[in-house]
Amino acid sequence: MAEQGEEAQRPWGRVAPAAVRPAGRPASEPPLVAELPALVTSVPAEGLLHGAVRVEGLSHGWVRPWRVLPAQQRSLTSCMAWYPGIFRQMAACTSGITLEFETDSSHVAVEVRLDAEPRATRNVLAGVDGAGEPLAHDGLSVDVDGRHRKPVMPTSAEGILPEARGDVLLVDLTRSCRSRAGGLQPLPGMGPARHVRVWLPCLRGCELGRVSGDGTFIRPIAPRDTMLVLGDSLSQGFCADDPARAWPSVVAPRLGLDLVNQSIGAQVFQPTALAGAEVMGLAPKLVVVALGANYRYGRCSERVVGREIADFLMRVDGLWGDSPLVVLVPATEGREAVSGSCYERVPGLIVAAASRVRRRRVSEGRPALLVSQMPALPASCLADEDGHPTAKGNARVVDLVMDELEKLDCRCLAELGEFGRCGACRHKATANRHGSRKAGERGGHADESHADDEAPFAPGSLMELPFE
């Protein structure tokens, strides 16, 4: 598709003047640096990364993690892209990339240098903040033994790591333990081993140095199987206000998978964006495509868009045909498109293109392809008029995706291309957080036995699909 003028047509709705945004809110309970023991254990951050498809080496041992390959980046910034300037900025963002390790340290410091907030991101968030003071909508958040902590920005290394060549994220791993132990703090290196996951920012890129602690070890977590997400700003994490709260960042850990999130703000179905993707060497346990919402912002031909969608899904199928594929269709209700856009036809074009890929998979006995409709979220779950979901809205999407993934266990979806005909699938009438579902609703079978109706969708069930 011909390149659009970046200034004339922006996929962000209301565009406010770029503002200088604050570095972020300080941690709510910063530890006293004067009481911080010596950080005697140190390892390169590179060995702790999850979700990066490549790592660029920099000087003095620093690295920059990437979620796209160089060939993909060139395609995203070429004349084949709708918004090459925006895509160049978004490709550098570290959405879905984490540092994950075990340590017996009481405190951990991560050396990090954050990129400036991209201009396109500032425009979106300025529209969210309105006339009020700009707020920090991103940062680095941390999970310690499964307990989540709100995102913060790194602070000066002065007094913590004087030799650091950037800022540091300082994490007090004993914060949740002291209250349970009557305020007592275990000596460094003598406490229990803790599992730590640091979520890197989803709306900007960063560079990493070393991870240091005051214990005796910092041990990497082995890579897991992968969930690959190809989407736009809704999947990248815009307006979730926490890189760990974007719906892909919640779904992947629930499935016991690592996340590779190649969602790019403003992206549409661009087949060339997958250029060179075969050298990633990924064999994902699950591939999710969540594109199409941004066609509402530009003039586009139904014939051209239909061809792009078909080519993109065929390309995905050619690259990862041995993986289950879920295609999420955007909700178009209440979304007014610009004049000359074929946006209202996009859902039908996606369904038609996915059907052709599904027929090919069924005929060749390969894993199932599932098409699911994204929910039309209420205004209370949206951050702006452009439809970016808040953390609450992302939680709604998580519920939908987790419910829909149960259908991949249906044998007839893989063998016949239709869900629910086998009578043996596990997607039955169950009670969930949204209330009871009657048999027959959302594909449930009214004549099925309900002996295991209450069985939850267990992480790892994607590994036991009947086509394997």
Side-chain angles (χ1 to χ4, degrees), residues 256-269:
L257 303 175
D258 280 340
L259 171 65
V260 172
N261 191 350
Q262 292 198 336
S263 300
I264 302 290
Q267 184 63 289
V268 292
F269 287 90

Side-chain angles (χ1 to χ4, degrees), residues 232 269 290-293 328-333 343 346-347 350 372-375:
D232 50 31
F269 287 90
L291 292 164
L328 299 178
V329 180
T332 59
E333 297 85 350
Y343 179 59
V346 168
I350 295 174
S372 299
Q373 176 67 53
M374 287 284 279

Side-chain angles (χ1 to χ4, degrees), residues 2 29 32 48 81 96 101 142 155 183 303 315 317 334 368 374 377 404 436 447 458-459:
E29 297 181 23
L32 296 175
L48 309 178
F101 53 91
V142 182
T155 59
R303 179 179 59 83
R315 176 69 170 150
D317 187 56
M374 287 284 279
L377 298 175
E404 291 295 289
S436 298
D447 56 346

Side-chain angles (χ1 to χ4, degrees), residues 102 266 432:
E102 288 183 340
N432 61 19

